[in-house]
Amino acid sequence: MNLRSQILSEGSKENALKVVHWIGNDPERFRSLMDIFLHDEYRVVQRASWVMSIVAEEQPALVKPHLKAMVDRMGDADIPVAVKRNVVRVLQFIPVPKKLQGPVMDYCFRFLEDPQETVAVRVFSMTVLANLAQQYPEIKNEIILLIEDQLREGALPAFKSRGKKTLKLLQAKSKSSNE
């Protein structure tokens, strides 16, 4: 399969699943997808991101060798929103390696507090930070304050829903750790 051509051929779920099936659990095929996802033109990246996120959920071990490149890409000024959204989405579901936790926290805090950022990137960042707060309880209060501020400022429904759930989770864990 010519991966790039197949990704470009159609922006449908059926096509995305066809590519996912072709990749299976093959690290080389996944590497080819990651090269496209991280470095190609916007439209190709956008379609590849859907495939990448499906593969990452089904085969999280395939993502591990690419996490550093994914996290590094989040710092690029020209990063397509599809890359940012799907990298942070994937980070919700996998353990962030110790050496990447600092940069991931930094990016996620920046994304969460930026009112110009897309709602999807902000809510995924919220979840990644809440997950990291289990290891770093000192960041809980900052996350809580950011969420509460944005809820007061009239957040969109998706942000409100995730924000309220995350607040309950963080506040419950803060109370149980104080007891």
Side-chain angles (χ1 to χ4, degrees):
M1 172 186 289
N2 180 318
L3 183 57
R4 188 175 189 277
S5 295
Q6 186 64 44
I7 287 169
L8 276 173
S9 72
E10 188 181 334
S12 69
K13 183 175 183 176
E14 295 83 45
N15 191 49
L17 292 175
K18 180 178 183 178
V19 175
V20 167
H21 178 73
W22 177 79
I23 291 170
N25 64 356
D26 186 313
E28 282 304 308
R29 289 180 178 181
F30 188 72
R31 185 191 53 73
S32 297
L33 175 69
M34 290 304 298
D35 287 343
I36 292 169
F37 171 67
L38 292 170
H39 305 294
D40 214 307
E41 64 182 272
Y42 184 78
R43 193 170 119 226
V44 185
V45 167
Q46 198 170 22
R47 290 189 181 173
S49 68
W50 191 8
V51 174
M52 187 279 300
S53 66
I54 295 169
V55 174
E57 273 190 70
E58 293 178 3
Q59 303 284 339
L62 290 177
V63 177
K64 277 186 157 186
H66 305 281
L67 278 175
K68 183 174 179 347
M70 293 167 69
V71 172
D72 288 348
R73 184 75 167 105
M74 290 196 313
D76 292 352
D78 65 338
I79 185 173
V81 72
V83 172
K84 196 180 331 180
R85 178 180 60 247
N86 283 289
V87 168
V88 181
R89 180 179 179 272
V90 166
L91 290 173
Q92 296 178 110
F93 304 114
I94 60 173
V96 177
K98 190 94 170 150
K99 66 182 179 182
L100 296 176
Q101 290 174 350
V104 166
M105 272 190 255
D106 182 50
Y107 292 128
C108 288
F109 270 118
R110 280 197 255 160
F111 298 155
L112 179 57
E113 64 190 8
D114 183 357
Q116 302 304 311
E117 188 57 73
T118 64
V119 173
V121 172
R122 290 168 58 215
V123 299
F124 296 156
S125 293
M126 185 187 314
T127 301
V128 171
L129 288 169
N131 291 342
L132 288 168
Q134 294 175 16
Q135 293 175 274
Y136 301 95
E138 62 273 15
I139 68 171
K140 285 181 186 176
N141 287 336
E142 187 174 351
I143 301 167
I144 290 168
L145 290 173
L146 278 171
I147 295 170
E148 288 175 342
D149 283 349
Q150 292 186 35
L151 289 174
R152 276 193 297 276
E153 293 175 12
L156 293 171
F159 189 95
K160 285 181 185 177
S161 175
R162 180 79 59 101
K164 289 176 182 177
K165 290 175 187 171
T166 304
L167 282 175
K168 285 181 184 176
L169 179 72
L170 290 171
Q171 291 167 339
K173 288 185 179 185
S174 290
K175 287 178 186 174
S176 67
S177 64
N178 290 336
E179 294 173 355

